[in-house]
């Protein structure tokens, strides 16, 4: 009986050892893969929410229509700003493996945060009926655009340095080189 137990233990140990040898270790992503995941998957996915939020906001101003400031204020407080804050939390939770890629994500976040600040300033302008706040909101929007341009430049720089082609939403190429995909070519 003792020999059978020892034999069973040896067989089990052998099976576990051989099974472990067959497993491949997951390789860490390369900078290219991390970057492509950020700019072609993670940010575009989050941006869908941002686009929907800003469409709601911008619909108040289309066709030069009369704006019901009470309705706009209520929508800013109860819908637009809370959803924008959730969008920014979504961006914050995006994980990256390389400092260069994290810097790009942080630049994007900074641009979008200025836009949130502008929305809050519009809300304050409506609440306080303060024209100066509207001008400040305009300045914050300009700053958001400047920061977004810095984000695009950072994306372009990394893409150029790593020979990656980034395709925008209309599938036109922005940077020549290796096509953006999650597979190395």
């Amino acid at each position: 009986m003792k020999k059978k137990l020892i034999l069973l233990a040896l067989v089990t140990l052998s099976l576990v050892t051989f099974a472990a040898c067959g497993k491949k270790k997951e390789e860490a992503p390369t900078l290219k893969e991390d970057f492509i995941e950020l700019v072609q998957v993670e940010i575009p996915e989050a941006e869908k929410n941002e686009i929907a939020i800003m469409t709601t906001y911008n619909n108040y101003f289309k066709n030069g229509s009369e704006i019901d400031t009470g309705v706009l204020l209520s929508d800013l407080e109860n819908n637009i700003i809370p959803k924008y804050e959730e969008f920014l939390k979504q961006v914050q939770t995006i994980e990256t493996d390389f400092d260069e890629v994290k810097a790009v994500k942080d630049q994007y976040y900074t641009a979008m945060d200025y836009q949130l600040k502008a929305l809050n300033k519009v809300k304050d302008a409506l609440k306080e009926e303060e024209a100066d706040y509207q001008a400040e909101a305009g300045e914050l929007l300009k700053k958001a655009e400047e920061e977004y341009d810095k984000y695009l430049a950072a994306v372009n720089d990394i893409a150029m340095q790593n020979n990656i082609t980034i395709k925008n939403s209309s599938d036109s190429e922005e940077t020549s080189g290796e096509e953006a995909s999650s597979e190395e070519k």
Side-chain angles (χ1 to χ4, degrees), residues 149-176:
D149 287 344
K150 289 178 186 177
Y151 158 74
L152 292 176
V155 166
N156 190 50
D157 287 348
I158 289 180
M160 294 290 281
Q161 291 167 5
N162 292 281
N163 199 28
I164 302 169
T165 299
I166 301 299
K167 295 194 176 224
N168 63 24
S169 58
S170 64
D171 289 328
S172 65
E173 294 183 9
E174 293 179 4
T175 306
S176 61

Side-chain angles (χ1 to χ4, degrees), residues 31-97:
L31 184 131
K32 282 183 181 182
E33 291 167 337
D34 196 31
F35 176 72
I36 290 167
E37 179 73 14
L38 177 72
V39 299
Q40 295 291 146
V41 178
E42 298 285 352
I43 286 180
E45 187 62 34
E47 246 175 7
K48 289 177 187 176
N49 296 328
E50 194 269 348
I51 290 167
I53 295 162
M54 292 311 295
T55 297
T56 300
Y57 175 75
N58 289 328
N59 281 340
Y60 282 97
F61 306 99
K62 72 178 189 181
N63 302 327
S65 59
E66 193 74 21
I67 299 170
D68 183 337
T69 57
V71 172
L72 174 57
L73 177 60
S74 176
D75 207 11
L76 281 166
E77 291 178 324
N78 301 313
N79 182 31
I80 295 169
I81 291 173
K83 285 182 178 178
Y84 209 95
E85 289 168 342
E86 285 300 314
F87 154 70
L88 281 178
K89 286 179 188 172
Q90 183 182 7
V91 172
Q92 268 185 328
T93 62
I94 296 172
E95 294 182 16
T96 60
D97 293 311

